[in-house]
Amino acid sequence: MRVKVLESIYRKQHERLFGYLMRMLGDYDVSRDILQDTFTRCLERYGRTIDSTALLYRIARNLAVDHLRKRVQIEPLQELQADETEHQDRQLMVKEHCRAVLHALQSMPLADREVLSLVASETLTYRDIAMILETSES
């Protein structure tokens, strides 16, 4: 019996209710899901006693607002993912830059490559480097 009452309401209201949800949410799939959830909740909570279109819209509105709140909470996560993607892009650029530097170093004479590598370590003084390479500090 409940199902027949809900079927009747569905036939009369689903297109208008769907249009309302589309205007609220701007997403076809989400609107369809919420439309379905609206009628499911209506059946579960009110059964045959529902005779008000306003109540149906209230249920739909509440579900839509809940969805929008969740979406607001999800968006910062997506921003974090974008930041993570940017971080990954940056790491990729650094790796590519390192490969290019290593390639350039490989094309240098060994003595120059050793000096440059030791200087780049930033832990040794010029005096230490000179001692390691057995050359003058200048």
Side-chain angles (χ1 to χ4, degrees):
M1 186 76 137
R2 285 187 200 184
V3 175
K4 289 193 184 247
V5 171
L6 194 59
E7 279 178 353
S8 173
I9 293 170
Y10 178 82
R11 275 190 292 249
K12 291 177 186 174
Q13 297 299 328
H14 81 279
E15 288 180 13
R16 288 185 188 121
L17 190 56
F18 178 73
Y20 164 75
L21 291 167
M22 278 295 296
R23 288 186 296 277
M24 282 276 294
L25 302 168
D27 185 309
Y28 179 86
D29 292 326
V30 172
S31 296
R32 295 298 294 181
D33 289 345
I34 290 179
L35 180 69
Q36 179 179 347
D37 290 346
T38 298
F39 283 98
T40 301
R41 283 198 185 181
C42 181
L43 178 62
E44 290 172 351
R45 293 188 182 167
Y46 302 100
R48 314 184 260 184
T49 60
I50 186 164
D51 60 355
S52 170
T53 303
L55 179 59
L56 193 62
Y57 275 79
R58 172 61 75 186
I59 294 168
R61 180 193 175 277
N62 289 344
L63 289 170
V65 168
D66 287 347
H67 171 77
L68 292 171
R69 283 186 190 134
K70 288 176 187 173
R71 189 169 69 184
V72 167
Q73 292 171 355
I74 290 171
E75 284 176 0
L77 267 179
Q78 291 172 343
E79 289 174 12
L80 286 175
Q81 289 173 347
D83 289 344
E84 186 176 309
T85 301
E86 289 174 17
H87 179 70
Q88 289 172 345
D89 290 345
R90 174 117 172 98
Q91 284 181 328
L92 182 61
M93 287 176 30
V94 168
K95 284 181 183 178
E96 288 175 4
H97 182 70
C98 286
R99 283 188 192 119
V101 169
L102 289 173
H103 181 71
L105 281 171
Q106 295 302 313
S107 65
M108 294 174 69
L110 180 59
D112 294 342
R113 189 169 57 226
E114 284 178 319
V115 170
L116 192 55
S117 297
L118 291 168
V119 169
S121 72
E122 296 181 352
T123 58
L124 301 169
T125 65
Y126 288 134
R127 179 172 285 151
D128 294 336
I129 293 170
M131 286 178 25
I132 293 168
L133 296 177
E134 298 177 351
T135 189
S136 71
E137 193 174 331
S138 58

